[in-house]
Amino acid sequence: MAGTTDLVRDRLRGGRVAAVAATALLALTACGSEDAPGELELQRGESGMMPAIEPPGPEGFENADVMGVRIDTPDEWDVQNDGSELCMTPPGQSSCAYGSIQLVPKQADKHPQSWPKKDESFNDDDGWADDTGSCRSLNTAASGNIGVADASLETGAGSVFEHADGRKSHYSIWSVTCDNDDTFEVRMWFLPESDVLLYVWSVDAQYSAVYDEIAESMDTTEYRNG
């Protein structure tokens, strides 16, 4: 009988050890699980969810806002924002001139000739500027005393470009030839109904992809809702 009693004790002792081990294993598994209640409780606040965090601009860019239009601006560029329009100028260039890109809400509304909305100038060969008389090539932009011989709309009428808010603008690219045979390029993104203009005064080819990134980031949601 003594041997039988000892055997029962051993079995009971072994069962308790196994139960303790199983409990410890479950606890370790719970600690390592992404769905562990303890971890979720740490991640959630008293309201049940973490507060929303405003996302930063993409690497190399900062967020900017003018009249409710949001856009990304390159870190190293000079940014001028007077509250009614914004201009981004690449390093080493004169403000709002060669290589610059401008964002102007209410562009046509503020312009004496309603450019570029009136008569859909954004679809015309000569719609690249309100004053098409001065060459804007790198060599002549500063002087302003060289005339323009010819201009052509390279994208064709009806070209569109989609922005961050899902809105599609009329997208126009012009090639302009000066009287001295210099050439330059002008780019325009225009939303006629919202009357928002994004405009590259004279393209600096090394920033061609940057212009597109800036244009893609434009969000007019708050502007339109305001």
Side-chain angles (χ1 to χ4, degrees):
M1 293 297 293
T4 301
T5 301
D6 291 342
L7 181 60
V8 171
R9 287 197 189 98
D10 291 342
R11 286 179 177 174
L12 289 173
R13 187 182 301 112
R16 285 194 296 270
V17 171
V20 171
T23 301
L25 180 60
L26 287 173
L28 287 173
T29 302
C31 289
S33 171
E34 292 181 358
D35 297 326
E39 186 171 343
L40 288 176
E41 190 173 331
L42 289 174
Q43 290 178 346
R44 293 175 181 162
E46 293 181 0
S47 64
M49 295 297 293
M50 290 289 286
I53 299 175
E54 184 72 21
E59 185 175 354
F61 289 82
E62 297 290 339
N63 296 130
D65 181 288
V66 55
M67 294 180 63
V69 181
R70 295 175 60 84
I71 201 162
D72 292 336
T73 62
D75 283 345
E76 303 301 321
W77 290 32
D78 179 57
V79 179
Q80 296 179 320
N81 185 348
D82 66 5
S84 62
E85 60 184 76
L86 181 149
C87 183
M88 296 165 259
T89 302
Q93 297 297 339
S94 300
S95 295
C96 290
Y98 183 81
S100 295
I101 179 168
Q102 299 164 272
L103 172 59
V104 189
K106 304 294 183 184
Q107 161 62 31
D109 183 59
K110 293 184 290 189
H111 194 276
Q113 285 80 43
S114 299
W115 177 85
K117 185 175 182 177
K118 186 178 180 181
D119 300 325
E120 295 189 351
S121 296
F122 49 84
N123 281 331
D124 294 340
D125 286 333
D126 291 325
W128 57 273
D130 60 337
D131 179 1
T132 59
S134 297
C135 181
R136 298 177 180 174
S137 67
L138 177 60
N139 296 325
T140 65
S143 65
N145 58 1
I146 303 297
V148 170
D150 185 53
S152 61
L153 181 65
E154 299 297 307
T155 47
S159 295
V160 296
F161 188 101
E162 186 170 351
H163 304 279
D165 56 1
R167 306 284 290 186
K168 293 180 180 178
S169 65
H170 288 273
Y171 181 42
S172 308
I173 299 177
W174 289 271
S175 177
V176 185
T177 303
C178 306
D179 287 339
N180 64 350
D181 292 330
D182 278 5
T183 61
F184 63 95
E185 180 180 293
V186 175
R187 296 188 191 181
M188 178 192 296
W189 299 260
F190 185 58
L191 295 163
E193 292 183 12
S194 302
D195 195 10
V196 175
L197 171 73
L198 188 63
Y199 184 69
V200 183
W201 192 81
S202 182
V203 168
D204 186 335
Q206 66 178 315
Y207 299 116
S208 181
V210 178
Y211 299 133
D212 286 340
E213 288 185 73
I214 293 170
E216 286 173 4
S217 75
M218 189 170 73
D219 187 333
T220 62
T221 304
E222 183 178 340
Y223 165 83
R224 289 182 287 106
N225 291 340

